[in-house]
Amino acid sequence: MLGRATAPRPGSGSSARPRTRPWDRLRSRASRAHDPGRAAGGDVPGARSARPRDAGTPLRARARAWAELLRVSALFTVPGDALAGASAAGLRPNRGTALAVGASLCLYQAGMALNDWADRAEDAADRPERPIPSGRIAPGAALTAATVLTTAGLTLAARAGRPTLTVATALAATVWSYDLRLKHTKAAPATMAAARTLDLLMGATATATHPARRTGRAPRPGVSPARVTAAPAAASAVAQPSGARTTPTPSAAARTPGIVAGRPAVPLPPTATTPERLARALPAALLLGAHTYAVTAVSQHEVHGGSTLAPLGALGATLAIGAATARDGRPVATALGVGYVRAAAVPYAHAALNPSPPLTRRAVGGGIRAMIPLQAALAARARGSGNVVGPALLALVPIARKLARKVSPT
């Protein structure tokens, strides 16, 4: 019957086992060695494993989609805000600083997820490869992630104290206002600048107001910090002989640094109040905000390009900020300021000469990564822990650059 196999008859000239040629046996062994079912089915030809060859691919693809949505390569520009704020306030980082870093990371990622959710219709036309328009992440999942991350950030800020929660609430409101309404308006650069300014001030507030902070001996009950500071000066004045010249002791207002001066003044005493420390950190926060303003102004043209004025303005702002960070003449701050200018100015100049979309996006990415050396320079301008915090932040630069090759920060 056709189609039915017949076994060889015993005693016939043909063998009970079919004869194979040597190269056929080699080919069979090679195919079994590459057979994914070998582990499950042993040497049985044609056996297939219950696990397909690309079982891990969907998981990796999903992880990559979320990495693109949350801009993981740009996350390393966030911790420096709180650390620079602590140093600019004249304090060492403590547990409050760590909580501020965690809150900043959560709020930053919430802003990234909310940004793509709000722009999903625009991205479908201009950037269909983004996670939401490509279908790799559902819009509802992105909005849920933004809500959960915002709640987590506010919770961490609350653990650092009520003043930190107040600043974090203002920061979260700024982020949501930018993504939902202000992103495509003229107020977009100023809104993003305000967000980064608040982020640095949140680190200064958390460090200064955390209950675990111990900065010297506390004043006696009923004695104000001003009287404690003025006591040594009064004692020295009494000890002076009659008619001797005395050097006037600077007042508390003179010890508080001015915002316009732009350089660190006399270190604050351990009994300095929180408003005095925030006033010390405000110049650094404003410089970081100015850099953010410039980057956001350039980013508004990263899809279509064509703007020469925005990169030129960002280039001028970069040079001015770099000069401000090196104004006090401290070698470490000067070196870090030069590194910041070099990281940001070169891609801005290229985008100004050729405002094409690729070079504009490269300028935005360079401006984002340049925040790390800027934070390091701002920390190094302060006395005390800034000498350690500033150079230590530079360790994040190669990590951010390596991740940027895999996941775009924009």
Side-chain angles (χ1 to χ4, degrees), residues 158-293:
R159 293 181 62 86
R162 184 174 297 178
T164 307
L165 176 60
T166 302
V167 181
T169 303
L171 174 59
T174 304
V175 171
W176 280 70
S177 299
Y178 173 83
D179 286 333
L180 297 181
R181 180 163 299 272
L182 301 176
K183 180 179 179 181
H184 300 289
T185 66
K186 294 182 179 180
T191 306
M192 285 301 296
R196 279 285 181 169
T197 301
L198 288 170
D199 200 27
L200 190 146
L201 291 178
M202 182 172 67
T205 304
T207 309
T209 60
H210 193 266
R213 187 173 69 86
R214 294 291 182 267
T215 55
R217 184 176 61 184
R220 297 189 304 273
V223 180
S224 64
R227 289 181 59 188
V228 173
T229 307
S236 62
V238 173
Q240 290 288 341
S242 176
R245 285 188 171 183
T246 59
T247 303
T249 303
S251 62
R255 289 193 302 270
T256 303
I259 298 177
V260 181
R263 65 171 62 189
V266 179
L268 289 173
T271 54
T273 62
T274 298
E276 289 177 337
R277 296 196 178 278
L278 291 181
R280 172 64 67 87
L282 186 57
L286 293 177
L287 289 175
L288 183 62
H291 171 77
T292 307
Y293 186 102

Side-chain angles (χ1 to χ4, degrees), residues 119-137:
D119 289 349
R120 60 190 185 279
E122 179 183 348
D123 288 343
D126 296 333
R127 304 180 71 177
E129 74 279 359
R130 295 294 303 158
I132 293 180
S134 64
R136 291 177 291 162
I137 294 179

Side-chain angles (χ1 to χ4, degrees), residues 7 64 77 123 164 169 269 280 282 292 301 308 312 332 361 374 389 392 405:
R64 180 177 179 83
T77 68
D123 288 343
T164 307
T169 303
R280 172 64 67 87
L282 186 57
T292 307
H301 306 278
T308 302
L312 281 178
V332 176
R361 283 194 291 269
L374 175 58
V389 173
R405 298 190 184 103

